[in-house]
Amino acid sequence: MTEQARALFGPHPFAAEMSEDQVASLLPEYLAMSQAFPYLQAGSQRDLVFDAMHHNRDLARDIELTSVVANFICWDETGGYGRILHGGKAALPDILATENFHSNLFRKDASRLLGRAIRPNYSFRTKRYLHSLYAGLSSNDPLVRCAYMVAFELHAADMIQSLWTTLVKTFKARSDDLEYFRSHVGGEDPAEKYHGEMTSRLIGELVPASRNGRFLDEFDRAYRLSLQWCRDLLRIVSLGGDGHSEIEHHGRCHCGSVKFCVRAPRELSAVRCNCSICQMSGFLHLLVREDKLGIECGEEFLSTYQFNKNIARHRFCRVCGVKPFYRPRSNPSGFSVNIRCLDKGTIEGIRISEFDGEHWEEAFCSMHQGLESCVEDQNGGVDSNGTCNE
């Protein structure tokens, strides 16, 4: 299936040439995945076990099979198998040495390459990927669980090998010095090979011949999920590494019920408008495309306020009343984000342009056309009191 996947999907995205800036943005995302995955894998059978308990029935064999494989992978990823392999039972107490967890080996390798310590970045995209992965690994359908287990491990082997090769080229490093990569796919007896074989044997146990077609569809879906996450990580990183490169800013409403993230430069360009609704709300505009903003939680707390033309969709938290972002009338396919709702820690500076929303049409005509997407289009104008009459 490995060869089939390579033929179908082509070279892995991580095999592409990367700059050091690209790598610096990618590695914290990868660390987050490496850190979380073993626990998601091991815990993915939880609801299946609780369901058997609730209905007072024996555990099905398919649950036993996917559980034992999941638990071993977690045991291996957290350094347990390696300890026993090299030190026997006497090495069991050493499992408390968490620096040998595979995610921490990766952290050490990455920090050495970058010359500074890194921490995991659970970005919106990485969290979305991990949630989707967990949904497949915990499915009630054993065929789906099997497909996601096999697809993740086969993809992981190609991903780790591709990233290893790219890191060595980018940083002109010695491949044997990168312990995480060497232990997974290097040497004469790499661990990742056995992960792939172990999960692939589940196919013969859990997938009857009559359902091969559906299994392949689920495998394809699961493999694409991991592949797309890798492509997304490369897509959001600028090659230039200059002041225009984008990072992920996090924000929230006042009470924290609504949390979101937005891709934008470290130094933000903002527009301050003096129309009635912007003055009353203190909104400081940052325009982004729709694909730049992700709602992390609390969408159910968002209410919509519209007035006048009823085109703009002002979204506010119904708990605290704060409007963290909205869809402006002039750019309904994108968002205007309130910079005041963003965490200050990732903002290096803000360049503010003033916009005379009290006299919208005259102000708009005198400014660059691109500003249209930065402020609310109050095309109906404003009345003599400066009140928006949208």
Side-chain angles (χ1 to χ4, degrees), residues 317-350:
C317 172
R318 57 183 172 83
V319 179
C320 64
V322 166
K323 181 174 73 173
F325 52 82
Y326 77 109
R327 290 190 181 273
R329 177 183 173 188
S330 60
N331 186 35
S333 63
F335 288 97
S336 185
V337 176
N338 189 356
I339 290 178
R340 301 185 196 278
C341 291
L342 297 177
D343 295 340
K344 295 180 181 179
T346 54
I347 300 175
E348 292 187 354
I350 304 174

Side-chain angles (χ1 to χ4, degrees), residues 112-300:
R112 182 187 299 122
L113 291 174
L114 297 176
R116 57 179 172 80
I118 69 166
R119 60 183 299 274
N121 181 25
Y122 285 97
S123 69
F124 169 72
R125 289 167 180 81
T126 294
K127 285 189 288 189
R128 181 177 60 187
Y129 165 61
L130 291 172
H131 277 289
S132 299
L133 181 63
Y134 180 82
L137 294 172
S138 61
S139 172
N140 289 328
D141 188 336
L143 182 147
V144 175
R145 296 202 305 276
C146 178
Y148 273 76
M149 281 187 169
V150 175
F152 181 88
E153 293 302 331
L154 295 188
H155 170 265
D158 199 19
M159 173 180 66
I160 295 170
Q161 180 65 63
S162 298
L163 184 57
W164 189 19
T165 302
T166 298
L167 290 177
V168 168
K169 288 181 180 177
T170 301
F171 291 92
K172 297 180 175 58
R174 282 173 41 87
S175 58
D176 286 346
D177 289 343
L178 302 179
E179 187 177 357
Y180 168 86
F181 297 93
R182 188 182 69 249
S183 64
H184 278 77
V185 295
E188 298 179 357
D189 199 25
E192 207 60 36
K193 178 181 71 172
Y194 296 104
H195 286 197
E197 289 181 3
M198 183 188 305
T199 53
S200 295
R201 285 193 183 187
L202 288 173
I203 300 172
E205 298 281 350
L206 299 177
V207 184
S210 60
R211 303 185 73 191
N212 277 342
R214 181 163 176 265
F215 171 80
L216 291 174
D217 288 342
E218 294 294 343
F219 172 84
D220 180 79
R221 183 176 294 110
Y223 199 98
R224 288 180 187 276
L225 174 69
S226 294
L227 202 63
Q228 188 60 49
W229 173 68
C230 296
R231 288 171 175 160
D232 286 345
L233 294 187
L234 292 181
R235 188 175 296 119
I236 63 178
V237 179
S238 167
L239 276 168
D242 55 19
H244 299 290
S245 61
E246 293 183 344
I247 63 169
E248 199 158 66
H249 300 274
H250 292 267
R252 63 182 182 90
C253 64
H254 187 265
C255 68
S257 295
V258 179
K259 294 181 180 178
F260 65 98
C261 60
V262 61
R263 296 290 308 181
R266 297 177 186 275
E267 185 172 338
L268 303 177
S269 296
V271 171
R272 182 162 48 207
C273 175
N274 65 356
C275 76
S276 62
I277 193 168
C278 289
Q279 285 197 92
M280 290 181 181
S281 63
F283 205 96
L284 194 58
H285 297 264
L286 169 68
L287 181 94
V288 295
R289 296 197 314 263
E290 182 174 30
D291 63 348
K292 299 283 188 180
L293 184 140
I295 301 175
E296 296 180 313
C297 70
E299 189 164 9
E300 69 275 16

